[in-house]
Amino acid sequence: MKGVRHYPGFLALTILCLAVLYAPLIVVAIYSFNASTSITSWGGFSLRWYGEVFTGREAARFGQAAWNSITIALIASTVATVIATAAALAMVRGGAFRGRQASFALINLPLMVPEIVIAVATLIFFSAIGLTMGYLTILLAHITFCIPFAYLPIAARLEGIEATYEQAARDLYATRAQAFRLILLPLMMPGIVSGWLLAFIISLDDFIITNFVKGAGMETLPTAIFGSVKQGIKPNIMALSTLMLLVSVLFVTAAYLINRKGRQTP
Amino acid sequence: MTDAVDLRGVVKRYGTVTALHGVTLSIADNEFFTLLGPSGCGKTTLLRLIAGFEDISEGEIRLFGHDIARLEPNQRPVNTVFQNYALFPHMSVLDNVAFGLKMKGVDPAARRARAGRMLEMVHLSAFAERLPAQLSGGQQQRVALARALAPEPKVLLLDEPLSALDLKLRQAMRVELKQLQEETGITFIFVTHDQEEALTMSDRIAVMSAGRVQQIGTAREIYEAPVNRFVADFIGETNLLEVEVASVSDGRATVILPGGARITCPSSSMTGGRHHLSIRPERLTISDRAELMANVERVVYLGTDLQVIAHLDGGQPITLRLQNAARTSLPEPGQRIGLHLEEGGARLLAD
Ligand SMILES: Nc1ncnc2c1ncn2[C@@H]1O[C@H](COP(=O)(O)OP(=O)(O)OP(=O)(O)O)[C@@H](O)[C@H]1O
Ligand SMILES: [Mg+2]
C-alpha cells in the first residue's frame, strides 16, 4: 500500500498547515528580540523588551498577574489531579457500576462544550449563588475545567496497568491501602505527573473563562496581556508571550517525556 | 489428618455465566495437585477462588479445616505464582521477593536474609539488585516462584507458570518445581492445560471440563482407567470406537465392533447397549494372534515411534503406535494386518 506521502499535494498541504500554525509564533518570538519600537520593521537584536517586561511601566501589573496565574495554576492543577486520580480509579478499577457511561461523559464534557458556553454558565452560576468574582471564582473554575485534562493521561496510564499487580500485592499480605500506596500509586505516577503538568499549563494559559469570572481588578497573565494589547501591541507583549510560550513548551515536553518513560517500564 | 484444601460444592457464577458447577475435591497436605483441562474449563477461576480474588457463589472452601470463604486475600496463608508473573516492575528482584515478608511485619534484616536465601534456592543470587524488566522470561518465572514461597505459605497456587517458557526450559523447570515442592513440603496446586506436564509432575490430577471435575486420580489411574469419554480423549491419544455391549459377567464385558469382531474388556457396571470403547494406540501390536483385522492406510515416522493409521474391517479408523526398534519391519500402505490387543488395553467408557 502507498503511504499517505504519495498523495498529490500532500507536501504542499503539510507545509501550508505548519506555516499557518507556527509562522505567527515564530514571528512573535523573533520580533521580541527587536531593538526597534516598531512591531513590523527589524531594528537589530536586543533584549530591551525582556528588560521592559520586568522593570518597565507595566512590570508591577504583570508581576501581580503572573503571581495570580502561577498560584492559581498550582492549586487548581493539584486539586484537579487529585480528583482526576480518584475518578480514574473509579472508572477503570471500579468494575461495572450504574452510571459508568454517564460518569465518563460528565468527566470529559468540558473538552467538548464550547469554552464560551462554560464561561457564561459558570459566571451565571457563581452570581446565582452569590459569590463575588475574584481570585476564588477563578480558582474554582480552573479546578473544574482542569479535571478532564488531568484525567486523560491518568486513566490511560491506569488502563495499561494490569490488575494482577494489585492482586499479587494483596496475595502477599498487603492490605487494600498498602497495595494502593506501595504498588498501584508508584505505577500510576507517570500518568499523574503528566496529568498535573497538562492541567497546570491549561490553567496558566486560560483566557476566556478567566476573563468572565475574574471580576474587576483581578488579573491573570493572559487577561493582563489582553488588557495591555487593547491599547496597542507593544514589543514587550511579544517578549512576555514568548516567555509564556517557552514555559508551555517546557511543560508539555516534560509531560510527554515522563509519559513515554513510564511506558517503557510498565 | 485434615486436608490442606477442601472444596465442597463450589459454584462460581459471573452474571449469567456459570464458570464452575459445583466442584468438590480434597487436596492432601504436602501434595502436588494438578488441575488439568482445556482452555476455559475454569482452572484459573478455581485458583482465584482459593486465593480469594473472587467470592464463591455457593459452596465451601476450607483450608486445613478452617472456613476461608469470607477472608480477604491477604488474610489467607496462600500465595500465587501468576501466569504473567506480575512482578512489581518498580522494585528490585530482592524487594519483590521480600515484599510478602515486609507486609507480614518481618524486620528488614531478617527479610533481606530470607529473600536472599530464596534467591539462592532459585539460582538467582547474582540478580538481586536488577529490575524485573532486566531478566529473561525464565528468570522472571523463578523470581515469581521465590516471591511466592518466601512467606512460607501453607498452599502455593501456580497458574500455568511454565507456559511462557520454551520447551527445554519448561522441561528443566518441571524437575525443579517438583524438587522444590518436595524440599519445602508445601502443598502445590498447579494449573496447566498441558497433559504431559500434569502426568510427569503430579501426585494427583483433577481433570476438568466445562466447569466440572471429570475425574481425580494419579497420573496412572487417569491414563489407564479414564471414567468417561472426555477424560480418555483428553489424556493422551486414544481410539474411540462405538461398540455394542453383548454381555457382562464377572466384571468383564464382551463387546461387538461394527465389523462383527468381538473382544472382552474390563467393565465396572456397564449394562448392555451402545457405548464407547477406548483403545490406547500403544496397546495394540501387529500379530498373528489377532482379535481385529485392519488395512494399513499410512505409516508416520515419529523418531522413537511409528504411528500406523489403518481402517478396521468395520470401516472405523484406528491408530497404533509401535516402538521404532531395529527389528521392526514397516507395514506397507494397503497391507492387511492382524491387531492384537494387550490385556487391559481397552476400556469401556461411560459417556
Ligand atoms: N470475570 C469474568 N467474567 C465473566 N466470565 C468469566 C470471567 N472470568 C472467567 N470467566 C469465564 O469462566 C470460564 C472459565 O474461565 P477460566 O479463566 O477459569 O478458564 P481457564 O480454565 O483458566 O482457561 P485457560 O486455560 O484459557 O486459562 C470461561 O468460560 C470464562 O469465559
Ligand atoms: Mg487460566
Side-chain angles (χ1 to χ4, degrees), chain B residues 231-338:
Chain B
V231 177
D233 206 19
F234 189 71
I235 308 291
E237 281 176 85
T238 198
N239 296 292
L240 282 178
L241 303 174
E242 214 174 287
V243 296
E244 183 81 35
V245 178
S247 63
V248 184
S249 65
D250 295 339
R252 294 188 67 81
T254 303
V255 301
I256 309 169
L257 274 63
R262 283 170 175 263
I263 45 181
T264 61
C265 59
S267 162
S268 40
S269 59
M270 227 67 72
T271 50
R274 300 196 76 76
H275 288 284
H276 280 89
L277 187 72
S278 159
I279 303 177
R280 295 287 183 197
E282 70 276 13
R283 295 301 191 84
L284 287 167
T285 46
I286 299 175
S287 163
D288 301 332
R289 290 189 300 134
E291 289 90 5
L292 302 166
M293 294 304 290
N295 292 309
V296 176
E297 192 171 296
R298 222 145 41 85
V299 179
V300 182
Y301 185 83
L302 298 174
T304 55
D305 285 351
L306 295 171
Q307 189 182 36
V308 180
I309 298 166
H311 276 288
L312 289 177
D313 280 354
Q316 306 96 325
I318 191 155
T319 302
L320 50 154
R321 232 173 217 264
L322 307 174
Q323 285 216 328
N324 188 10
R327 59 189 144 69
T328 321
S329 60
L330 291 183
E332 299 286 330
Q335 189 183 328
R336 189 164 171 76
I337 51 173

Side-chain angles (χ1 to χ4, degrees), chain A residues 116 119-120 123 133 207-215:
Chain A
I116 187 74
V120 173
L123 176 62
M133 298 306 141
F207 173 74
I208 299 179
I209 295 175
T210 311
N211 202 36
F212 270 69
V213 300
K214 75 186 174 60

Side-chain angles (χ1 to χ4, degrees), chain A residues 35-56:
Chain A
S36 118
T37 341
S38 159
I39 58 163
T40 46
S41 65
W42 183 251
F45 179 84
S46 150
L47 289 176
R48 65 180 278 204
W49 301 116
Y50 286 89
E52 178 83 14
V53 167
F54 292 103
T55 57

Side-chain angles (χ1 to χ4, degrees), chain A residues 162 165 167 170-171 182 266, chain B residues 72 74 79-80 84 87 89-90:
Chain A
E162 287 177 58
Y165 292 123
Q167 283 166 3
R170 299 276 282 133
D171 190 57
L182 299 172
Chain B
E72 293 281 308
N74 55 321
N79 288 152
T80 308
N84 62 358
L87 298 177
H90 57 300

Side-chain angles (χ1 to χ4, degrees), chain A residues 171-185:
Chain A
D171 190 57
L172 292 161
Y173 313 105
T175 61
R176 258 173 225 282
Q178 284 171 322
F180 176 73
R181 190 163 50 82
L182 299 172
I183 306 300
L184 193 57
L185 199 59

Side-chain angles (χ1 to χ4, degrees), chain A residues 213-226:
Chain A
V213 300
K214 75 186 174 60
M218 179 59 62
E219 301 287 355
T220 64
L221 262 185
T223 63
I225 291 174
F226 183 71

Side-chain angles (χ1 to χ4, degrees), chain A residues 54-219:
Chain A
F54 292 103
T55 57
R57 202 166 41 79
E58 291 179 303
R61 204 166 84 86
F62 284 145
Q64 182 59 44
W67 172 254
N68 290 341
S69 269
I70 289 169
T71 53
I72 287 172
L74 277 175
I75 301 170
S77 57
T78 306
V79 174
T81 302
V82 171
I83 296 171
T85 304
L89 285 169
M91 293 296 294
V92 180
R93 284 293 196 269
F97 57 89
R98 270 170 67 103
R100 192 172 181 280
Q101 287 296 325
S103 308
F104 184 77
L106 220 57
I107 292 167
N108 291 299
L109 203 61
L111 296 178
M112 284 162 279
V113 175
E115 203 182 341
I116 187 74
V117 176
I118 300 179
V120 173
T122 313
L123 176 62
I124 293 171
F125 175 70
F126 284 156
S127 313
I129 62 171
L131 279 181
T132 318
M133 298 306 141
Y135 191 89
L136 183 67
T137 48
I138 302 178
L139 188 59
L140 289 175
H142 279 221
I143 290 172
T144 314
F145 70 71
C146 279
I147 290 173
F149 291 95
Y151 176 81
L152 290 178
I154 296 173
R157 173 77 191 167
L158 187 55
E159 267 158 19
I161 302 173
E162 287 177 58
T164 46
Y165 292 123
E166 294 139 86
Q167 283 166 3
R170 299 276 282 133
D171 190 57
L172 292 161
Y173 313 105
T175 61
R176 258 173 225 282
Q178 284 171 322
F180 176 73
R181 190 163 50 82
L182 299 172
I183 306 300
L184 193 57
L185 199 59
L187 294 180
M188 285 174 75
M189 210 31 102
I192 292 176
V193 172
S194 61
W196 184 85
L197 290 172
L198 217 56
F200 184 88
I201 278 305
I202 294 295
S203 165
L204 198 68
D205 289 352
D206 181 74
F207 173 74
I208 299 179
I209 295 175
T210 311
N211 202 36
F212 270 69
V213 300
K214 75 186 174 60
M218 179 59 62
E219 301 287 355

